[in-house]
Amino acid sequence: MFYREAGQFKTSYAADMAIFPIRQDRIGLGLILVVAFVVIPLAGNQFLLNSILIPFLIFSLAAIGLNILTGYTGLLSLGSAAFMGVGAYACYKLSTFFPEVNILVWILASGFVSSAVGVFFGLPSLRIKGFYLAVATLAAQFFLQWCFARVPWLYNDNTSGAIEVSTHTLFGLPVTGPNAAPATRYLVVLTIVAGMAWIASNIVHGRIGRMWMAVRDMDIAAQLMGIRLLRAKLLAFAVSSFYVGVAGALMVFLWLGAAEPEAFNINLSFLLLFMVIIGGLGSIVGAFLGAALIHILPIALRALPALIGLNLGSATIEQLTFMVTGALIIFFLIVEPLGLARLWRIGKQKLRVWPFPY
């Protein structure tokens, strides 16, 4: 039938361990990539690209990074926004010191700076976990945000206290600054997010991912099996902070164009945590689903009254959006506590045996 793997045989271990073992999954992913890379840049307007898709991709990348730490390794973090800020400020300083270097190099390099900071604040994870580790990362959130506001060197002594992005080009086309076309910035963000999501998927499906999941399920048993907890946990902090730091650099340089320290406050950390929980802990697809629900759904709810002809004030629409979004979040958590990714897997499994009972 439509979604059956009957007749699809595996002839090697590599084929059996493939991320997308079913041919229909590979075809579906290919169609999604064609639409994302070809159709949307040609047909999408400025609002769709700037206000919906670019931030959706950036939040998805940050959620992937947090999911590596919280979903796959079981280490709760409330400092994701601060590590995004580290990536943004590091990219700003690097691009200021070496303006002749391509900006994409510094966007990726900023992830390594954020990774180093994440490893430093991840050192307590060997001794503490759960609520106490969340408090430790919360302390990192407030300390780093204080540095963003109180250390003038980070923002080049700008009187406004904000970091402002200048124009940088790639193959002769502006990719940052006011002259950069939305389609160009969208394609750059999409390429980086797609590549890093593919790398993250390979990591979590390999030896390192199994090591992280063993630590998540029972760290004492993992240690008895020969897994070094300090190395495993610090590696999770490093990889997670790298992804989050790159997302922070993308947010400032390819979306906002400028940012103040308040852009990386605790609210953003909670927002990313909600994306991971609702999308599904321990799932790369769940990061995209959670980002879609948290970011795109409120935009759709704000546009709904105008589409159906209701004349409501902006304040009323804002409050209704908060109420409906919160109710939907509670509904999804009650129906499926494992997140939207679990619902997605259940739907796929039902298609594989349809029309027979499951």
Side-chain angles (χ1 to χ4, degrees):
M1 298 295 290
F2 174 71
Y3 193 78
R4 301 286 177 81
E5 65 269 30
Q8 301 182 29
F9 301 102
K10 312 296 189 302
T11 58
S12 64
Y13 286 111
D16 188 59
M17 296 174 63
I19 299 174
F20 300 102
I22 302 176
R23 184 182 300 116
Q24 287 85 341
D25 285 339
R26 297 193 293 269
I27 294 174
L29 179 62
L31 292 176
I32 292 174
L33 292 177
V34 169
V35 171
F37 277 97
V38 179
V39 177
I40 291 179
L42 295 176
N45 56 26
Q46 184 173 356
F47 174 78
L48 176 66
L49 297 175
N50 277 339
S51 301
I52 299 179
L53 293 181
I54 291 178
F56 159 69
L57 292 171
I58 293 172
F59 287 143
S60 298
L61 183 62
I64 290 174
L66 181 58
N67 215 341
I68 289 174
L69 185 65
T70 302
Y72 285 98
T73 317
L75 303 175
L76 183 60
S77 173
L78 295 178
S80 303
F83 297 132
M84 289 183 71
V86 171
Y89 279 87
C91 187
Y92 176 70
K93 294 299 295 185
L94 289 171
S95 62
T96 302
F97 288 148
F98 307 99
E100 68 280 358
V101 179
N102 192 287
I103 188 61
L104 298 185
V105 174
W106 295 137
I107 288 176
L108 296 176
S110 64
F112 290 101
V113 179
S114 180
S115 179
V117 176
V119 168
F120 175 78
F121 284 103
L123 288 174
S125 64
L126 184 64
R127 297 294 182 184
I128 59 177
K129 57 184 178 179
F131 172 77
Y132 299 99
L133 180 60
V135 172
T137 56
L138 186 63
Q141 165 71 42
F142 289 126
F143 173 74
L144 291 173
Q145 191 177 349
W146 178 87
C147 291
F148 300 154
R150 301 298 181 184
V151 181
W153 178 82
L154 292 175
Y155 49 85
N156 291 342
D157 297 304
N158 195 333
T159 55
S160 64
I163 53 177
E164 300 174 355
V165 179
S166 58
T167 301
H168 297 83
T169 60
L170 178 65
F171 302 117
L173 294 175
V175 293
T176 64
N179 298 325
T184 303
R185 291 187 285 110
Y186 164 77
L187 286 173
V188 172
V189 172
L190 177 62
T191 302
I192 294 176
V193 172
M196 294 184 67
W198 175 75
I199 294 173
S201 184
N202 281 276
I203 290 175
V204 299
H205 283 88
R207 179 183 61 85
I208 296 176
R210 292 193 296 271
M211 176 181 64
W212 286 339
M213 287 183 277
V215 173
R216 175 196 64 191
D217 294 337
M218 187 175 291
D219 54 355
I220 296 178
Q223 189 175 21
L224 292 175
M225 293 168 57
I227 295 176
R228 298 183 180 181
L229 295 185
L230 178 60
R231 179 181 298 179
K233 291 182 178 181
L234 291 185
L235 180 61
F237 266 99
V239 177
S240 172
S241 300
F242 177 83
Y243 274 72
V244 173
V246 172
L250 290 175
M251 185 176 76
V252 174
F253 279 76
L254 293 171
W255 177 29
L256 299 177
E260 297 179 350
E262 192 64 22
F264 308 103
N265 58 17
I266 186 64
N267 293 332
L268 180 57
S269 293
F270 280 115
L271 195 68
L272 294 176
L273 185 62
F274 293 155
M275 291 178 186
V276 171
I277 294 175
I278 295 170
L281 292 168
S283 172
I284 301 298
V285 175
F288 289 93
L289 296 176
L293 182 68
I294 296 297
H295 177 71
I296 298 179
L297 182 62
I299 297 176
L301 291 176
R302 292 188 188 99
L304 184 60
L307 294 177
I308 62 178
L310 290 178
N311 188 14
L312 300 176
S314 58
T316 304
I317 295 175
E318 189 74 16
Q319 295 300 324
L320 288 175
T321 300
F322 286 137
M323 293 173 60
V324 174
T325 305
L328 287 174
I329 291 173
I330 295 173
F331 171 77
F332 278 116
L333 291 179
I334 292 175
V335 172
E336 184 50 71
L338 297 179
L340 297 175
R342 175 60 179 170
L343 294 177
W344 173 252
R345 287 193 293 267
I346 292 175
K348 288 172 60 177
Q349 184 62 32
K350 289 183 179 295
L351 281 176
R352 294 169 74 173
V353 298
W354 185 86
F356 302 102
Y358 178 66

